[in-house]
Amino acid sequence: SQTIHQWPATLVQPVGSPLSLECTVEGTSNPNLYWYRQAAGRGLQLLFYSVGIGQISSEVPQNLSASRPQDRQFILSSKKLLLSDSGFYLCAWSVWTSDYNEQFFGPGTRLTVL
Amino acid sequence: AQSVTQLDSHVSVSEGTPVLLRCNYSSSYSPSLFWYVQHPNKGLQLLLKYTSAATLVKGINGFEAEFKKSETSFHLTKPSAHMSDAAEYFCVVSDLSGAGSYQLTFGKGTKLSVIP
């Protein structure tokens, strides 16, 4: 069966510090991978998605970047965190079916920028 | 373009009474629709999905939803609320984007409170 891992589970970082969040998927090959951010009272915002190694699409201009160095690894990074980067970050994976896109979510990382 | 509107940001019910969480959508194509549940500080879990088969969809934990094309609705219901149902619920539409791929659009969520 497929599983998705995220770490760390929680993180407190000062403004201006770097960030690296990691997501890995097991039990599937060539998944589509996604990073979402969930800010208080604002629902889920798609940040990045990837359909293959080295292929990253950015949905929203921001202070963050993403990379996919391996088939089942997806990394979210920042060189200098802002207060507005605080939130709950969710990684998800999916595989294409004939007519829909069901996504499976990881446990999330709670990031607090102080 | 697609969009999802969850009509209530917060719903409060008593334990043992019915639950109704409302969702309306708009889509340029025949959409697929999902309901996800999120407990505090947890990831999202799929409750149920509609993918152009039966319009009444049954999910986990006694939840079900009915796809009504004429009303562009996909409301989530449960006959009897349980304390463990207290969580945030997201209605989601999956549709072809302009680039020919399938994107998900999330509603803003409905927080369900269950009163003992």
Side-chain angles (χ1 to χ4, degrees), chain A residues 34 36 38 41-44 46 49 59 88 90 96-108 110, chain B residues 30 32 34 36 38 41-46 49 51-52 88 90 94 99 101-104 106-109:
Chain A
Y34 308 83
Y36 291 88
Q38 190 176 24
R42 296 182 63 183
L44 269 75
L46 178 63
Y49 70 93
E59 290 294 302
F88 193 51
L90 289 161
W96 297 129
T97 64
S98 60
D99 59 0
Y100 64 94
N101 178 5
E102 179 179 346
Q103 294 184 12
F104 302 89
F105 287 82
R110 172 72 61 190
Chain B
S30 296
S32 296
F34 307 84
Y36 284 87
Q38 184 182 31
N41 291 310
K42 301 291 185 183
L44 276 69
Q45 180 185 19
L46 182 68
K49 61 189 177 190
T51 58
S52 74
E88 189 155 22
F90 293 93
S94 173
S101 62
Y102 289 94
Q103 299 294 333
L104 295 189
F106 286 78
K108 292 189 182 298

Side-chain angles (χ1 to χ4, degrees), chain B residues 55-88:
Chain B
T55 56
L56 182 61
V57 181
K58 294 188 183 299
I60 61 172
N61 301 334
F63 285 94
E64 62 181 38
E66 186 171 10
F67 174 71
K68 292 187 177 179
K69 187 174 181 179
S70 61
E71 299 177 10
T72 61
S73 70
F74 190 57
H75 302 333
L76 182 69
T77 59
K78 183 174 180 178
S80 176
H82 191 272
M83 294 299 295
S84 60
D85 295 328
E88 189 155 22

Side-chain angles (χ1 to χ4, degrees), chain A:
Chain A
S1 64
Q2 302 88 359
T3 56
I4 178 169
H5 305 279
Q6 286 186 247
W7 64 90
T10 59
L11 191 59
V12 180
Q13 292 284 97
V15 169
S17 64
L19 173 72
S20 181
L21 303 182
E22 189 163 344
C23 170
T24 59
V25 180
E26 297 176 357
T28 187
S29 297
N30 195 31
N32 301 310
L33 296 172
Y34 308 83
W35 278 112
Y36 291 88
R37 177 169 59 203
Q38 190 176 24
R42 296 182 63 183
L44 269 75
Q45 180 185 37
L46 178 63
L47 302 176
F48 301 94
Y49 70 93
S50 171
V51 299
I53 295 174
Q55 299 179 61
I56 308 295
S57 297
S58 174
E59 290 294 302
V60 182
Q62 58 214 322
N63 184 43
L64 302 169
S65 62
S67 62
R68 184 170 178 174
Q70 300 180 45
D71 181 43
R72 287 168 288 180
Q73 183 185 31
F74 205 22
I75 297 172
L76 184 69
S77 304
S78 174
K79 292 182 179 179
K80 288 187 178 181
L81 284 168
L82 306 173
L83 286 175
S84 58
D85 291 324
S86 293
F88 193 51
Y89 288 81
L90 289 161
C91 181
W93 70 271
S94 73
V95 292
W96 297 129
T97 64
S98 60
D99 59 0
Y100 64 94
N101 178 5
E102 179 179 346
Q103 294 184 12
F104 302 89
F105 287 82
T109 294
R110 172 72 61 190
L111 172 65
T112 304
V113 182
L114 301 175

Side-chain angles (χ1 to χ4, degrees), chain B residues 7-24:
Chain B
L7 298 164
D8 306 291
S9 60
H10 192 183
V11 170
S12 185
V13 301
S14 297
E15 188 176 17
T17 64
V19 176
L20 170 63
L21 305 183
R22 298 181 294 167
C23 172
N24 286 102

